[in-house]
Amino acid sequence: MAPRDMSCLEERIGYRFADATLLRRALTHSSYANEQMGGRDASNERLEFLGDSVLSLTVCNYLYHAYPELPEGRLTVLRKNLVCQRALTDYAQQISLGSYLLLGKGEEKDGREKPKLLEDAFEALLGAMYLDSDSLPRIAEFLIPFVKTELSKMLAEPQPLEDYKTLLQQYVQQTPGEELRYEKISETGPDNAKTFTVRVLINSNEFGKGVGSSKKEAEQNAAREALKHYLRLVQ
């Protein structure tokens, strides 16, 4: 399947490039560059690198100002979910980005729907738009509607903001192979006034402790501490 006219993509994204070569490069996969252009230096990989930072800064800036009541840990989890491969693939599909990609013969069969290719191309598109416009507000004008739609789905889920156990689990599960578990350290006091102490372990490493009048409360407090430490580690 041949890629569509790139001017149609400009109409879809509501942005007309002053330098059309930037758009073409954003859509050029390394397989096409290797086959048709003499090497991957002409691919969208450098624009993807730039676009990744443009994406993160734009989303962070929006979340910071739109949700002043949310703590750092919750903002970080929201950002992670808004810029993950699943979300970026969805953004790309909304503008039919895959149908505009320049792909080598090996990728033509199913490359236009591959999440990794769509993720990379969407980031490259952001990088190209930034270089062409030299304007982060212009990037936000294009990007934030996608973010708002995704946020509305995320925040509609039946999950209170204080559910730190769920937040920690969601974040840890995004890294394959990570194991999360809770371990009771102590249980003291009479039956009608017990105090529980729990610790959180991720891959056998302790990330936080919590105390509460019930095991559930202690686990929530431990998860809150673990979330802060874990996010600092992976950022």
Side-chain angles (χ1 to χ4, degrees), residues 1-8 12 95-96 99-101 112:
M1 174 178 139
R4 299 181 186 177
D5 183 351
M6 293 182 188
S7 63
C8 295
R12 280 183 173 272
I95 58 174
S96 301
S99 62
Y100 298 94
L101 296 180
R112 298 186 187 280

Side-chain angles (χ1 to χ4, degrees), residues 55-73:
L55 169 69
S56 183
L57 179 57
T58 304
V59 171
C60 284
N61 185 60
Y62 173 74
L63 291 175
Y64 182 86
H65 289 96
Y67 298 95
E69 76 283 2
L70 294 186
E72 174 199 4

Side-chain angles (χ1 to χ4, degrees), residues 209-223:
K209 291 181 181 179
V211 178
S213 58
S214 68
K215 186 179 177 182
K216 182 177 180 180
E217 181 184 2
E219 288 178 346
Q220 285 287 355
N221 290 331

Side-chain angles (χ1 to χ4, degrees), residues 79-223:
R79 180 195 62 189
K80 181 76 172 179
N81 287 325
L82 290 168
V83 303
C84 69
Q85 183 179 90
R86 177 198 54 76
L88 294 182
T89 299
D90 183 58
Y91 304 161
Q93 289 173 336
Q94 290 182 51
I95 58 174
S96 301
L97 189 60
S99 62
Y100 298 94
L101 296 180
L102 297 171
L103 302 175
K105 294 178 182 178
E107 295 289 353
E108 271 291 355
K109 182 178 179 180
D110 58 0
R112 298 186 187 280
E113 297 301 323
K114 283 185 178 179
K116 176 59 176 171
L117 266 65
L118 292 175
E119 174 193 16
D120 293 347
F122 191 84
E123 290 180 337
L125 177 63
L126 293 179
M129 289 178 66
Y130 176 68
L131 287 180
D132 194 69
S133 66
D134 193 25
S135 171
L136 284 174
R138 184 64 187 85
I139 302 301
E141 183 181 338
F142 163 68
L143 178 63
I144 296 307
F146 296 105
V147 170
K148 287 182 176 180
T149 299
E150 186 66 19
L151 270 172
S152 66
K153 293 187 288 186
M154 291 167 53
L155 297 177
E157 296 175 356
Q159 173 187 298
L161 295 180
E162 68 271 19
D163 188 354
Y164 295 104
K165 284 186 65 177
T166 300
L167 293 176
L168 180 62
Q169 182 178 2
Q170 287 178 344
Y171 204 97
V172 172
Q173 285 179 340
Q174 292 181 19
T175 303
E178 298 278 65
E179 180 183 6
L180 169 66
R181 63 188 176 91
Y182 295 83
E183 183 178 277
K184 185 174 71 174
I185 298 174
S186 66
E187 179 181 335
T188 60
D191 289 343
N192 63 343
K194 284 188 177 294
T195 298
F196 296 83
T197 302
V198 171
R199 66 174 182 167
V200 179
L201 299 171
I202 301 176
N203 295 336
S204 300
N205 297 313
E206 182 179 306
F207 272 75
K209 291 181 181 179
V211 178
S213 58
S214 68
K215 186 179 177 182
K216 182 177 180 180
E217 181 184 2
E219 288 178 346
Q220 285 287 355
N221 290 331

